[in-house]
Amino acid sequence: MYSTNKAISCRACNSKELDTILDLCDMPPGDKYASSLECIPTTLISSKIDICKKCGHIQMSGSADPKYIYGNYLSRPASTNPKLKEMYLDYCKELGKLSNGGSVLEVGSNDGLFLELFKQIGVKAIGIEPAKNLIDFANQRGVKTINGYVSEETVSKAIEKIGKPNVVLANHCFSNVENIQEWATSISNSLNDNGYLVLQTFYQKSVLENYLLENYNHEHLSYVFIDPISKFFKSYGLLLRECKYIEAKGGSIRLYFQKSTKEIPLKGQSLSLLESEKKYFSQLDTHFRKTTNYIQKTTENIKKLISNREEEKICAYGTSIGATVFTYQFQLTEDIGTFFDDDKLRQGRFSPGIGAPVLPGRSKELHQYKDCLMFAPLYYKQIIKANLEHLKSNGRFILIRPDVETVTSSDIESYMN
C-alpha cells in the first residue's frame, strides 16, 4: 500500500553519527483515516527520535511515501479552529508589510486560508500544496495554488505567475519535509535578494516541557531548536534575523530568515530565546528522559483506570494525528473500540492500524461508553463543554496530560461557564 524508509543519516548534514534520544514504539502513518476497513494502513514504521551528534538536528527515524501521506490530506487546522483563524489575519498583515509591495509564496498552503487572507488585504500571493483534495478547497476560495511539493520545478511555476517573492511563508510544514536540503535550496533560489523566509513550526523546547507527545509522528520528520536550524539555513544564504515564541498549538516558534550576506546580531526577545535554549539544550538527555517517564507513568495510570471496565472496549475523542500516537505509545491498541470527532472530513472513516470507526461527536453513541479518553488534549475544555450529556449519563472523560485524571458528573458545573 505504501513504502517506508528508515533514515541512516542526518537529514540536515548527512552525518551518520545518529543517537536515539527517545525510544518510541513503531506506529502506522498517523493521520491516514481510511474510507474502508480494507484500506486502513497497518504497516508499522520505525518511530525512534534520533539526534545528530555532529550538527544537533533531531529527526524521526522512519518515514512513509510522501505521495501516500499527502496525496489526500485531512488536517485543516486553521479552518476548524476559529481562534487560529483570527491570529492568522494579524500574521498575514505583518507579512504583507514585510513583503514591502512584493509578492508572497506560501509553501504547504493547505486549504488556501492564508492565501485568501492575503487576497483580502491586497497582497499578491500564491501557494504550493501537495494534497489535491485541499486544492479543491483552495479553488473554492478563489486563490492560486500549484499542486506539488517544493522543488525547483514548482517554485519556478509560482515565479512565472507572481514573480520572485519577497516573502516565502512556511507555516507548520517544514518539519514534514524529508529532503530538507533540496527544500532549502529551492526556497533560497526563489527569494529576491534581502527577501525573507518566515518559518513557523512546533518548538521542540515547548514539546518537551509540555509533554506534547503527539508531535512525534511520521508527518513531523524534523524537530526544531533555534540554534541548529539557524546554522542549517545559514549554509543556504538564509540568516536568522528574528525569532518569536508563539502560544499556538501548545508552543510554537516563528523564525525570520533573510537572504543576505550581512551578519546582524540578534537582540531583545530573539537573543533571550536563543540564550535560554542553549542552556536547555545542554541538558537535552535529561529532558527527553522526562518524556520517557511521562509515557510510562501515563500508560500505567490509564491502564489502572480502565482495567475494571464493564464494556469490552472504551472510546476516545479526537482523531488528529496525535490520536494514533497516543493509541500506540500508551499501548491501547486492544482497548479502543470507537473514536469520536467533530470534523466531518474524518467521520465515517476508520483509524490507522486498529481500524476503529470514527463517529460524530455529541452523538448518542458516545453514551454507550462509560470511559472516553481525551485525545485532543489542547482542546479538552471546549470538547467537554459540548458533550456534557456524556457526563450526565454517568460517563467520564479521562484526561491524559499533564497527569491522568477523570472528569465526571461532579465536575459539570466547572464546565458550564
Side-chain angles (χ1 to χ4, degrees):
M1 184 185 290
Y2 51 92
S3 59
T4 64
N5 297 302
K6 187 172 182 181
I8 59 171
S9 61
C10 173
R11 293 186 172 93
C13 74
N14 299 320
S15 170
K16 293 188 176 180
E17 295 183 64
L18 300 175
D19 277 347
T20 295
I21 199 164
L22 182 62
D23 194 1
L24 299 177
C25 68
D26 296 352
M27 300 179 285
D31 208 26
K32 298 308 289 184
Y33 287 80
S35 57
S36 69
L37 282 171
E38 291 73 29
C39 297
I40 62 168
T42 54
T43 299
L44 303 185
I45 308 169
S46 176
S47 305
K48 299 179 188 304
I49 307 302
D50 295 333
I51 186 169
C52 176
K53 291 195 284 185
K54 183 178 178 183
C55 74
H57 183 70
I58 299 172
Q59 63 186 38
M60 171 66 73
S61 60
S63 62
D65 178 5
K67 290 181 180 178
Y68 174 72
I69 297 290
Y70 299 110
N72 185 80
Y73 198 58
L74 296 176
S75 183
R76 300 176 297 134
S79 295
T80 55
N81 186 339
K83 287 188 178 179
L84 279 180
K85 188 173 180 179
E86 291 170 16
M87 291 171 57
Y88 286 171
L89 180 58
D90 292 335
Y91 189 7
C92 284
K93 288 177 180 176
E94 177 198 343
L95 296 180
K97 290 180 182 177
L98 193 64
S99 69
N100 195 27
S103 59
V104 174
L105 168 62
E106 184 186 3
V107 295
S109 55
N110 202 265
D111 61 3
L113 175 62
F114 262 82
L115 299 175
E116 183 180 41
L117 295 175
F118 281 126
K119 187 178 179 180
Q120 286 177 13
I121 62 175
V123 174
K124 186 164 60 173
I126 193 169
I128 297 175
E129 170 56 48
K132 291 180 180 178
N133 67 310
L134 293 182
I135 289 180
D136 290 339
F137 288 106
N139 289 339
Q140 292 170 24
R141 296 181 187 274
V143 295
K144 297 176 183 176
T145 315
I146 293 167
N147 184 211
Y149 300 88
V150 172
S151 66
E152 294 288 354
E153 180 185 358
T154 55
V155 167
S156 294
K157 287 180 181 178
I159 290 172
E160 285 175 13
K161 294 182 182 295
I162 63 164
K164 271 200 164 190
N166 282 352
V167 172
V168 172
L169 169 62
N171 196 53
H172 286 278
C173 68
F174 171 76
S175 61
N176 303 37
V177 178
E178 183 149 23
N179 190 338
I180 59 175
Q181 296 181 40
E182 178 189 26
W183 192 92
T185 299
S186 300
I187 296 301
S188 181
N189 290 343
S190 76
L191 272 171
N192 275 321
D193 289 344
N194 298 313
Y196 284 85
L197 164 65
V198 181
L199 186 155
Q200 183 165 313
T201 188
F202 295 101
Y203 189 27
Q204 184 58 203
K205 186 169 180 282
S206 297
V207 169
L208 288 167
E209 287 176 339
N210 299 318
Y211 302 110
L212 304 179
L213 186 64
E214 59 268 38
N215 279 271
Y216 300 119
N217 60 67
H218 296 105
E219 286 179 16
H220 299 161
L221 303 178
S222 294
Y223 304 95
V224 172
F225 277 103
I226 301 166
D227 190 49
I229 207 65
S230 62
K231 289 174 180 175
F232 167 75
F233 278 113
K234 184 177 181 180
S235 66
Y236 295 89
L238 298 168
L239 306 185
L240 183 65
R241 294 297 192 229
E242 186 180 4
C243 43
K244 296 178 182 179
Y245 177 79
I246 308 295
E247 294 286 349
K249 301 191 176 187
S252 301
I253 194 80
R254 189 179 296 168
L255 306 172
Y256 299 75
F257 297 96
Q258 188 175 30
K259 186 176 179 180
S260 175
T261 57
K262 185 179 179 182
E263 296 274 5
I264 301 175
L266 296 178
K267 58 185 179 180
Q269 183 196 34
S270 301
L271 184 59
S272 297
L273 282 168
L274 187 58
E275 288 177 344
S276 173
E277 178 187 287
K278 285 180 178 178
K279 293 178 183 176
Y280 192 87
F281 204 85
S282 67
Q283 300 292 321
L284 203 57
D285 283 343
T286 300
H287 297 303
F288 270 102
R289 196 153 48 245
K290 289 178 182 177
T291 295
T292 298
N293 293 338
Y294 161 75
I295 294 170
Q296 292 173 347
K297 181 182 175 183
T298 302
T299 301
E300 291 170 4
N301 289 339
I302 291 174
K303 293 287 187 179
K304 284 179 187 175
L305 273 177
I306 66 175
S307 60
N308 295 322
R309 64 181 182 264
E310 295 177 5
E311 305 93 344
E312 183 183 354
K313 301 280 187 178
I314 63 173
C315 67
Y317 209 113
T319 61
S320 67
I321 196 167
T324 304
V325 179
F326 299 142
T327 299
Y328 279 81
Q329 301 311 321
F330 298 147
Q331 301 174 32
L332 296 165
T333 56
E334 300 296 322
D335 299 292
I336 296 174
T338 306
F339 285 96
F340 291 90
D341 202 283
D342 298 324
D343 188 347
K344 291 182 180 179
L345 283 185
R346 296 169 182 275
Q347 294 166 5
R349 290 177 172 267
F350 299 87
S351 68
I354 65 173
V358 181
L359 301 181
R362 314 182 198 190
S363 60
K364 64 180 186 297
E365 285 85 359
L366 177 61
H367 311 323
Q368 296 173 9
Y369 295 91
K370 178 178 176 58
D371 288 330
C372 182
L373 289 160
M374 183 54 67
F375 276 1
L378 293 177
Y379 309 107
Y380 79 92
K381 289 183 180 177
Q382 300 96 302
I383 291 172
I384 292 175
K385 280 182 181 180
N387 290 274
L388 292 178
E389 290 300 319
H390 179 59
L391 301 182
K392 291 175 183 176
S393 64
N394 204 35
R396 64 180 180 177
F397 288 101
I398 300 175
L399 308 184
I400 61 172
R401 194 168 64 213
D403 299 305
V404 175
E405 58 182 292
T406 59
V407 178
T408 66
S409 58
S410 63
D411 302 302
I412 286 178
E413 245 183 73
S414 61
Y415 287 92
M416 292 183 72
N417 299 325

